[in-house]
Amino acid sequence: MSRFVIEGGYHLEGTFQPRGAKNEALQVLCATLLTDEDVIIHNLPDILDVKNLIRILELLGVEVEPLSNKGSYRFNARNVTVEKFQSLLCEKKISLLRGSILIAGPLLARFGLAIINKPGGDKIGRRRLDTHIHGFIKLGANVEVDNYKNVITFRSDRLRGTYILLEEASVTGTANLIMASVLAEGTTTIYNAACEPYIQQLCKMLVNMGAKIHGIGSNLLTIHGVSSLHGTDHTLLPDMIEVGSFIGLAAMTQSNLILKNVCLPQLGQIPDVFKKLGIKILMQGDDIVVPYQDVYEIQTPYDGSILTISDAPWPGFTPDLLSVVLVVASQARGSVMVHQKMFESRLFFVDNLIEMGAKIILCDPHRATVIGLERKYPLRGIEMSSPDIRAGISMLIAALSARGKSIIHNVHQIDRGYERIELVLQQLGAKIKREEEY
């Protein structure tokens, strides 16, 4: 286990290029199971969640070959067999990663059987698998849930196309059902589908593999099943959550940062939401410049009320950046209500921010009111522990802006989503080091 030791209060300067998108990586890696031909994936981030999923694929029999270009890999699933599904080591790995549920759709579609442990991941509240399970049942699968052994088994002689109306626009649920449907017999319609850029990327990759998918980018997908898919070459988008994290970092540390090649059209509301907090964001081609600001002021709505920032399915604001918004607001001029609708435990890390000196009222598990300090009272360094990826990066941003020394434990949570973050920050001028804990 590792920890970060941070000496805060330094302004940062320089250029940063975001890595490949974590959430897209987990989906397209699982899609390699749908064919026995080579699939080449570029721009894969070197992060813990991706490494764990690649290990799961290898345990299933997938050939994995790193290519000469950093972040490029060749995958071939021709040697995957049903007999490998119940590998004990594989089950242990699967239990560590929520994204591993995404192997179920491809395995069920191609082999008629998928056996997985209930997946783990962030401890941010209940994250039901009902969307996946109900969708597979509608496609004709039999599902057995063994709560004692913590195992879910999916079986089907042949999946058949059907109409699916999702109860919630789940990103992983939508991805899983898309991957199951592309090899199903007949036509599948998925309504209330998630339509995030990463879902669009998955669909485009599958189309390049021979799938027939219509409605990409909308919440109504029509999928005509095909008998087989072939190989392809796919490049991941830059991670929009990492882009948003570094916008927040620049604002909190009064830095001057350039974010290169961010794929602006795919960022949705992210730049606009940070602008509502008063942060200056300049667009230069496909780059974002966040210049030094002494103080940023939260916008007041036209009716004079307190600004509320909340999450919503795409094209709404992503829930993965609400933690960063909350931290950034702590040093703004003005007040804001942060409303986290999806997960009831994601705001509990604010206790650490309050201990650092932030003025935050946790109204309930889903809402927090932040009263900005206008930089009159800098945050102070403390010792804390990261409960999940997004809280972890938010606590790191707070520590980098704080006066004095901070220690963050359990940083493997941050490693799950951010590639070698301490080295990136050191290059920008941050005083941070990683220490091993025993």
Side-chain angles (χ1 to χ4, degrees):
M1 300 291 286
S2 303
R3 68 179 186 178
F4 287 148
V5 179
I6 304 110
E7 187 67 34
Y10 291 88
H11 305 311
L12 309 183
E13 184 87 26
T15 299
F16 169 73
Q17 181 157 323
R19 276 52 172 177
K22 165 185 173 287
N23 292 338
E24 180 185 349
L26 300 182
Q27 295 174 23
V28 300
L29 283 172
C30 292
T32 63
L33 292 165
L34 288 165
T35 179
D36 60 4
E37 297 185 13
D38 284 351
V39 176
I40 310 298
I41 301 179
H42 303 285
N43 202 28
L44 277 171
D46 187 19
I47 57 176
L48 194 56
D49 273 8
V50 168
K51 291 177 182 178
N52 282 342
L53 184 52
I54 288 176
R55 179 58 179 150
I56 291 171
L57 295 178
E58 288 177 322
L59 290 167
L60 290 172
V62 176
E63 296 175 12
V64 180
E65 178 191 3
L67 303 180
S68 56
N69 292 335
K70 181 181 181 295
S72 295
Y73 289 79
R74 179 188 68 86
F75 299 88
N76 189 292
R78 59 175 165 248
N79 294 323
V80 174
T81 62
V82 171
E83 288 72 25
K84 294 177 181 178
F85 292 174
Q86 288 183 295
S87 163
L88 179 60
L89 180 58
C90 185
E91 288 181 2
K92 286 182 178 179
K93 282 286 186 181
I94 286 176
S95 67
L96 298 177
L97 177 67
R98 178 172 177 78
S100 62
I101 183 65
L102 290 166
I103 69 172
L107 292 178
L108 186 58
R110 187 171 164 208
F111 299 101
L113 175 67
I115 304 171
I116 64 167
N117 263 28
K118 289 183 181 179
D122 291 327
K123 306 302 182 185
I124 56 178
R126 293 171 294 174
R127 307 180 75 178
R128 299 181 303 162
L129 300 179
D130 296 44
T131 302
H132 307 257
I133 295 172
H134 291 161
F136 290 148
I137 291 172
K138 287 188 176 182
L139 287 167
N142 295 315
V143 180
E144 301 170 13
V145 180
D146 189 330
N147 290 315
Y148 178 74
K149 294 182 178 179
N150 218 30
V151 168
I152 306 175
T153 303
F154 306 94
R155 286 188 175 88
S156 175
D157 292 333
R158 181 68 192 273
L159 297 178
R160 289 175 173 80
T162 187
Y163 174 79
I164 301 174
L165 174 59
L166 299 185
E167 180 182 351
E168 60 175 347
S170 163
V171 175
T172 55
T174 299
N176 227 350
L177 295 176
I178 290 170
M179 290 188 286
S181 300
V182 291
L183 294 180
E185 183 179 288
T187 299
T188 301
T189 303
I190 305 175
Y191 196 24
N192 195 29
C195 51
E196 272 80 354
Y198 308 139
I199 291 288
Q200 297 176 40
Q201 284 284 100
L202 172 65
C203 289
K204 291 173 183 176
M205 173 183 170
L206 293 171
V207 168
N208 288 336
M209 295 171 69
K212 297 180 179 179
I213 306 174
H214 304 284
I216 297 173
S218 75
N219 68 347
L220 178 60
L221 296 174
T222 303
I223 303 164
H224 302 287
V226 297
S227 58
S228 63
L229 297 178
H230 51 73
T232 191
D233 194 292
H234 180 78
T235 301
L236 271 64
L237 289 174
D239 196 318
M240 64 180 177
I241 311 304
E242 196 169 40
V243 172
S245 300
F246 273 78
I247 292 173
L249 169 67
M252 275 292 283
T253 57
Q254 295 177 290
S255 299
N256 184 34
L257 296 183
I258 301 172
L259 311 183
K260 298 288 292 182
N261 302 318
V262 299
C263 200
L264 279 169
Q266 302 295 341
L267 293 182
Q269 294 190 24
I270 290 173
D272 291 335
V273 168
F274 281 104
K275 287 178 181 178
K276 288 181 180 179
L277 297 177
I279 298 170
K280 293 179 182 176
I281 297 177
L282 309 177
M283 314 293 190
Q284 296 183 355
D286 200 33
D287 303 339
I288 283 179
V289 177
V290 187
Y292 168 88
Q293 272 183 271
D294 186 27
V295 177
Y296 43 93
E297 184 171 354
I298 296 171
Q299 293 180 8
T300 300
Y302 290 113
D303 63 1
S305 61
I306 292 177
L307 177 68
T308 297
I309 296 178
S310 59
D311 56 334
W314 184 270
F317 188 64
T318 172
D320 285 342
L321 282 173
L322 279 185
S323 300
V324 174
V325 164
L326 192 149
V327 169
V328 172
S330 70
Q331 285 296 341
R333 178 184 294 134
S335 301
V336 63
M337 167 75 78
V338 175
H339 189 176
Q340 163 61 263
K341 298 176 183 176
M342 294 188 182
F343 306 111
E344 68 271 14
S345 302
R346 210 164 204 173
L347 297 182
F348 287 169
F349 82 101
V350 302
D351 287 350
N352 295 293
L353 301 180
I354 293 170
E355 186 179 349
M356 296 177 82
K359 291 186 177 181
I360 302 173
I361 302 168
L362 187 59
C363 308
D364 56 45
H366 292 276
R367 296 178 301 158
T369 299
V370 186
I371 299 135
L373 298 172
E374 301 183 46
R375 300 200 188 280
K376 295 178 181 177
Y377 309 98
L379 300 181
R380 55 183 175 269
I382 65 167
E383 190 166 345
M384 46 193 161
S385 183
S386 172
D388 66 75
I389 302 175
R390 308 311 174 189
I393 195 67
S394 302
M395 291 158 59
L396 180 54
I397 291 170
L400 289 164
S401 73
R403 179 176 295 169
K405 177 181 175 181
S406 294
I407 297 175
I408 302 177
H409 300 278
N410 203 32
V411 299
H412 81 278
Q413 289 284 3
I414 302 173
D415 294 336
R416 289 178 48 219
Y418 296 84
E419 181 180 326
R420 298 180 178 85
I421 186 67
E422 76 278 11
L423 300 182
V424 172
L425 293 171
Q426 287 168 5
Q427 292 171 358
L428 296 174
K431 306 299 180 182
I432 177 175
K433 61 180 179 179
R434 181 188 293 265
E435 295 182 348
E436 295 304 315
E437 296 185 292
Y438 301 99

